[in-house]
Amino acid sequence: MRFFAAFLVFLFHLSLLDAYSTSGEEHGPFAAAVKNGGWAGVTFFFILSGFVLAWSARDDDTTRAFWGRRVVKIVPNHVVTFFLALASYAYVSATWGRGIPNFLLLQAWIPRDDVFFSINNPSWSLSCELVFYLLFPALYRAVRRIRAERLWQWAGGTAAVIVLLPLLVQLLPAGETFGPHHANSPLYGHSITQMWLVYIFPPARVLDFLLGILMARIVLSGRWIGLGVLPALAVTVAAYALSLQVPFLFSLNAVVVVPFALLISAAAARDAQGRGTAVSGRVWVWLGEVSFAFYLVHQILLSVVQERFGYREAGSFAEAAVVAALIAAVSLLLAWLLYAGVERPAVRAWARRARAARMRHAAVAPVPASDGSERPVTVGTP
């Protein structure tokens, strides 16, 4: 499912190319259909992130080990794509005030679109992910203390806050709006500050992550309502269609957040029963493995196509579809290279280092001495 979310983001960014986004002065049907794909894909990622981390949490894990694994998962890919974007096209508009927050993954804390959407703009979500990882050990412990019969109440309350947040935010002054450089985007003409508070601001997005943790605990505790994958998918599709019609701030994540949480939980419950889903095959597993890399590289390729090649004429529908498929294929190739050459080696190197550290720790274990103190003893020594 991770790849579907990443592909939704790809389709949204593809629609922003001049060739796909406009028909005269009006947005074309493709752009209109996927205009919320970017917001939806990221929301799905955030909920899934909380769900997967809670689903796979181990009692013997340590906070330090958890943080290390998560950082090594995202930072090497980020560093490579940051400099690739900078060298490819972003150097034209890059400044120290934009580059440093981006490189340090602090851009989501700054309510300026020329910061949080600069350099390789999908990386803004990693700024939120770092906050999620920092908070996860504490959030997970807190959720585990909730009695099983109250988990649904907590999940419902969390979802209600997410849904109602745009209502509160729209009461704030609009301030500066997204300008002409977003003319091909549904952002155009909307408040930067309001959008930032609902969609970018890390404390607000922690709610999506927390909802994922709560839903994982619901399934693991046997409190799942039994909703099937297909009904959950139907609700999700209907919710996305509704998101295309509601006011802008509510279209960002409020409409789809509950259906996404139900869909992820339904799929996990089915997998837990050993029944599998349509996306359990080897190809889908591979696509899931490269999905994070795909998410980070696709915008770079799209920007190069737009800026360097001036792709402005889509021609017929068939031609536009062929070009889109070619861009997607090249993005997948780049994603595989990033995954195989950077992400996987970094994760494996960290795992080897962690195993070696555990073995050293186990080899010298403190045992009580005759005087009641502790002394180190090498395991296996008579």
Side-chain angles (χ1 to χ4, degrees):
M1 291 193 295
R2 286 181 298 174
F3 182 75
F4 281 117
F7 198 69
L8 264 180
V9 179
F10 167 79
L11 291 177
F12 169 67
H13 287 147
L14 176 71
S15 76
L16 301 185
L17 291 183
D18 291 343
Y20 293 92
S21 63
T22 57
S23 177
E25 294 298 322
E26 300 295 328
H27 289 290
F30 170 67
V34 301
K35 70 174 185 177
N36 291 344
W39 330 137
V42 171
T43 297
F44 189 92
F45 272 132
F46 286 171
I47 299 171
L48 184 64
S49 181
F51 191 100
V52 169
L53 291 179
W55 186 268
S56 59
R58 306 192 309 265
D59 290 337
D60 62 346
D61 201 7
T62 66
T63 296
R64 181 178 178 181
F66 169 79
W67 283 342
R69 288 196 310 273
R70 301 320 302 172
V71 168
V72 82
K73 172 75 174 176
I74 66 172
V75 169
N77 277 6
H78 162 64
V79 171
V80 170
T81 52
F82 173 87
F83 284 109
L84 182 60
L86 202 61
S88 300
Y89 64 91
Y91 65 88
V92 176
S93 59
T95 63
W96 289 109
R98 297 170 184 173
I100 292 177
N102 270 265
F103 184 75
L104 298 178
L105 293 177
L106 298 174
Q107 66 270 48
W109 293 94
I110 302 173
R112 292 171 52 111
D113 65 314
D114 60 349
V115 176
F116 58 72
F117 279 162
S118 62
I119 316 297
N120 185 26
N121 66 21
S123 68
W124 74 265
S125 65
L126 304 187
S127 190
C128 293
E129 289 281 358
L130 281 182
V131 176
F132 300 165
Y133 300 155
L134 178 66
L135 296 178
F136 176 75
L139 288 175
Y140 181 68
R141 286 194 297 269
V143 169
R144 289 197 65 176
R145 287 197 291 267
I146 299 173
R147 295 208 302 265
E149 61 270 22
R150 293 188 176 180
L151 284 169
W152 273 110
Q153 297 174 27
W154 278 87
T158 302
V161 175
I162 296 171
V163 172
L164 294 175
L165 181 61
L167 191 64
L168 175 64
V169 169
Q170 71 181 1
L171 300 177
L172 301 176
E176 185 180 356
T177 60
F178 289 95
H181 54 299
H182 293 285
N184 289 340
S185 167
L187 290 169
Y188 180 66
H190 293 287
S191 166
I192 294 173
T193 301
Q194 290 178 348
M195 183 268 190
W196 173 75
L197 284 169
V198 170
Y199 184 70
I200 304 289
F201 189 42
R205 301 319 302 265
V206 167
L207 294 169
D208 303 68
F209 181 72
L210 174 60
L211 180 60
I213 297 174
L214 287 163
M215 296 307 297
R217 293 301 305 162
I218 285 171
V219 178
L220 288 169
S221 65
R223 296 280 169 168
W224 178 237
I225 57 176
L227 181 68
V229 174
L230 288 180
L233 181 60
V235 171
T236 298
V237 172
Y240 179 80
L242 177 62
S243 77
L244 300 175
Q245 309 300 324
V246 300
F248 173 71
L249 289 179
F250 291 89
S251 73
L252 295 172
N253 69 331
V255 175
V256 298
V257 68
V258 171
F260 281 166
L262 294 175
L263 177 60
I264 292 168
S265 301
R270 184 180 176 91
D271 279 342
Q273 296 169 359
R275 298 164 62 192
T277 62
V279 293
S280 301
R282 293 178 62 182
V283 172
W284 294 111
V285 170
W286 179 82
L287 288 173
E289 289 175 343
V290 303
S291 60
F292 174 54
F294 179 83
Y295 175 76
L296 286 181
V297 302
H298 78 271
Q299 180 61 56
I300 299 173
L301 181 60
L302 289 171
S303 296
V304 170
V305 168
Q306 178 80 2
E307 300 297 332
R308 296 292 181 88
F309 298 101
Y311 181 53
R312 302 182 184 280
E313 296 294 334
S316 66
F317 173 81
E319 179 186 342
V322 168
V323 173
L326 180 61
I327 294 174
V330 175
S331 295
L332 264 179
L333 174 61
L334 293 175
W336 176 77
L337 291 173
L338 181 62
Y339 171 75
V342 177
E343 180 181 337
R344 187 171 59 185
V347 170
R348 288 179 173 177
W350 177 266
R352 287 195 298 269
R353 178 181 175 185
R355 281 196 301 269
R358 286 196 300 270
M359 291 177 65
R360 288 195 300 269
H361 179 73
V364 183
V367 297
S370 57
D371 60 358
S373 62
E374 290 188 342
R375 57 185 174 84
V377 146
T378 301
V379 175
T381 301

